[in-house]
Amino acid sequence: MGTAIGILGAGQLGAYLCRAARQLRLRSVVLASRPDDVAVAVADEVIYGGLGDVVNVARLLDRCDVVTFEREDVPVDVLDMIADRAADGSIRVAPGVETLRLIQNKADQKAWLVEHGIPTAPFLRFDNGVNEHSDIPFGSRYVVKRQRGGYDGLGVAVVKDGLLPQAMAGAPCIVEQWVEHEQEVAVLVARNAAGQLAVYPVFAMDFDARGNVLRQVVCPAGLGDRLEAQARSLALRVVEALEGVGVFAVEMFVTQAGLMVNEISPRVHNVGHLTIEAFDVSQFELHMRAISDLPLPAPCQSQAAAMNNLLYEPELDRACRDRMSIDDQAEGVHVHWYGKSEPRLLRKMGHLTVVSVSALQAAQRADASVNLLKAV
Ligand SMILES: Nc1ncnc2c1ncn2[C@@H]1O[C@H](COP(=O)(O)OP(=O)(O)OP(=O)(O)O)[C@@H](O)[C@H]1O
Ligand SMILES: [Mg+2]
């Protein structure tokens, strides 16, 4: 086996990265906290430990040539250790530690966007937390976000009536102007160390209102040629300015005044799951190629597609436990279960992708397929 890739994190994204590694004849070593973590079953090697476990992360680094991240919330002392190992040349890190440090903190990330002239919602940073006496110049509708550790809408509170949520009190955060948007989209970009870039078409995102969790992704997004091209070039500009290595997801709002970047993820992303079936190269393969200095093919879409997350609710329990598929493969329905044993409301238990002749048909069939799974 060739180069060994260490992956910090062992969830479903890690599992897909391991599969891509195998296809490319790379060796995967994951850091898992439990034997039932999704990626454990598919990794070539597993080191047990939490993301903050310096000793076991060090063991993982000893076992690999390149290290990459499935999650961005890596604690500071672990990042420091990885940076030391990178500096002495014993390991390569992709994306780089400085990129991760920047993106980990939403206040620093937003400041960087502003500094680089990238359109983003006006914001203020509150390093000591925000309270009812804080001066917030955005009217009664704004968004409070924890500076660190938020994901899947956790750590984000939309304020509609000027009343600050208690849960946010005290924690370092940013306050952002509410962005009136027509749509949310994301663009996935891969970049390798030689500076070669590859970009997917725009993905349209729809969120489950119960928890701001990604519900459905559709591609083509139907933005029209001009906006599509603008979104792609904005995402490319972001990743080039970061000098990022690996796959990045650039989340944006489509507004009347144009595009605004919401946030950047320095990793493969849930929004790109449909690249497995709908493109000739998946985001996971592109990430592995990018971090191992392989050439990056331009992704080519074979069919329109939609992906729905299988977010846990009691109606899905049976389908989830039995890992039901839909007898519809010929119709382009692909069901993926992650094999997670602990269901929690809106937890991502799997996803399904539908490829079809049009985005609308794919989206409709994806919704119908989720309903079929709930009905069993
Ligand atoms: N300024 C804003 N104006 C309007 N809506 C917003 C704003 N900021 C965030 N949102 C909404 O909240 C969602 C979550 O925010 P954001 O993407 O910043 O947080 P996150 O929890 O890090 O996201 P993720 O789910 O990608 O991990 C966004 O997708 C969007 O729907
Ligand atoms: Mg987001």
Side-chain angles (χ1 to χ4, degrees), residues 124-169:
L124 288 174
R125 69 185 292 164
F126 291 90
D127 291 344
N128 299 314
V130 63
N131 60 48
E132 60 270 30
H133 305 297
S134 305
D135 190 14
I136 298 170
F138 304 132
S140 59
R141 196 164 196 201
Y142 51 86
V143 185
V144 186
K145 301 182 180 183
R146 277 184 200 277
Q147 287 186 5
R148 287 175 177 277
Y151 66 98
D152 284 351
L154 299 167
V156 172
V158 176
V159 177
K160 293 187 175 142
D161 45 15
L163 291 176
L164 275 169
Q166 270 304 311
M168 287 291 185

Side-chain angles (χ1 to χ4, degrees), residues 106 207 251 262-263 269:
K106 286 196 190 224
F207 291 82
E251 298 178 15
N262 175 31
E263 62 165 349
H269 194 286

Side-chain angles (χ1 to χ4, degrees), residues 23-356:
Q23 276 174 11
L24 293 167
R25 299 181 173 278
L26 304 165
R27 198 178 141 65
S28 59
V29 187
V30 299
L31 182 79
S33 47
R34 298 158 48 136
D36 59 353
D37 283 352
V38 183
V40 166
V42 286
D44 291 313
E45 191 179 339
V46 181
I47 306 278
Y48 284 99
L51 265 190
D53 179 343
V54 180
V55 173
N56 284 305
V57 174
R59 281 180 57 220
L60 176 132
L61 299 182
D62 290 340
R63 311 278 305 150
C64 54
D65 306 294
V66 183
V67 67
T68 192
F69 308 91
E70 184 212 42
R71 292 163 48 178
E72 54 262 46
D73 54 336
V74 183
V76 174
D77 48 346
V78 172
L79 276 188
D80 289 344
M81 178 185 68
I82 297 174
D84 288 346
R85 297 273 195 113
D88 72 21
S90 57
I91 191 146
R92 283 195 297 124
V93 192
V97 169
E98 292 318 313
T99 307
L100 217 71
R101 283 198 218 275
L102 176 77
I103 289 176
Q104 265 189 348
N105 183 312
K106 286 196 190 224
D108 295 342
Q109 187 189 141
K110 290 278 292 187
W112 182 91
L113 289 170
V114 172
E115 212 175 285
H116 287 79
I118 292 164
T120 189
F123 79 106
L124 288 174
R125 69 185 292 164
F126 291 90
D127 291 344
N128 299 314
V130 63
N131 60 48
E132 60 270 30
H133 305 297
S134 305
D135 190 14
I136 298 170
F138 304 132
S140 59
R141 196 164 196 201
Y142 51 86
V143 185
V144 186
K145 301 182 180 183
R146 277 184 200 277
Q147 287 186 5
R148 287 175 177 277
Y151 66 98
D152 284 351
L154 299 167
V156 172
V158 176
V159 177
K160 293 187 175 142
D161 45 15
L163 291 176
L164 275 169
Q166 270 304 311
M168 287 291 185
C173 64
I174 60 170
V175 175
E176 247 180 54
Q177 188 169 69
W178 169 262
V179 176
E180 203 57 56
H181 53 277
E182 290 157 15
Q183 212 178 348
E184 285 190 60
V185 298
V187 181
L188 290 178
V189 174
R191 183 178 176 277
N192 64 17
Q196 195 193 0
L197 291 154
V199 58
Y200 286 97
V202 179
F203 298 139
M205 302 192 280
D206 181 57
F207 291 82
D208 188 305
R210 288 171 295 178
N212 256 332
V213 189
L214 187 64
R215 187 190 72 82
Q216 186 177 64
V217 177
V218 174
C219 182
L223 292 186
D225 291 348
R226 230 180 101 209
L227 210 50
E228 168 90 22
Q230 280 172 359
R232 284 163 52 119
S233 70
L234 186 56
L236 286 166
R237 215 175 109 201
V238 167
V239 176
E240 279 198 294
L242 275 174
E243 296 183 28
V245 174
V247 163
F248 289 76
V250 183
E251 298 178 15
M252 304 174 197
F253 296 116
V254 180
T255 77
Q256 290 242 303
L259 297 162
M260 273 188 171
V261 171
N262 175 31
E263 62 165 349
I264 311 164
S265 290
R267 53 169 172 79
V268 287
H269 194 286
N270 185 186
V271 78
H273 285 342
L274 57 70
T275 61
I276 296 172
E277 282 95 2
F279 286 82
D280 58 351
V281 58
S282 76
Q283 61 165 343
F284 305 103
E285 180 179 341
L286 272 189
H287 184 72
M288 283 296 162
R289 286 180 162 276
I291 68 173
S292 16
D293 288 342
L294 293 169
L296 303 178
C300 183
Q301 186 167 14
S302 48
Q303 269 183 295
M307 186 260 356
N308 279 38
N309 275 326
L310 296 168
L311 302 171
Y312 184 79
E313 47 191 313
E315 292 93 314
L316 260 184
D317 200 62
R318 173 93 192 280
C320 180
R321 264 188 288 129
D322 296 348
R323 300 195 196 177
M324 300 265 307
S325 66
I326 288 179
D327 208 12
D328 216 5
Q329 288 272 332
E331 296 285 324
V333 183
H334 304 266
V335 182
H336 300 241
W337 293 106
Y338 306 144
K340 292 179 184 174
S341 50
E342 282 174 23
R344 283 192 304 272
L345 189 65
L346 299 183
R347 188 172 190 206
K348 293 170 185 165
M349 306 305 282
H351 73 269
L352 60 84
T353 297
V354 178
V355 291
S356 188

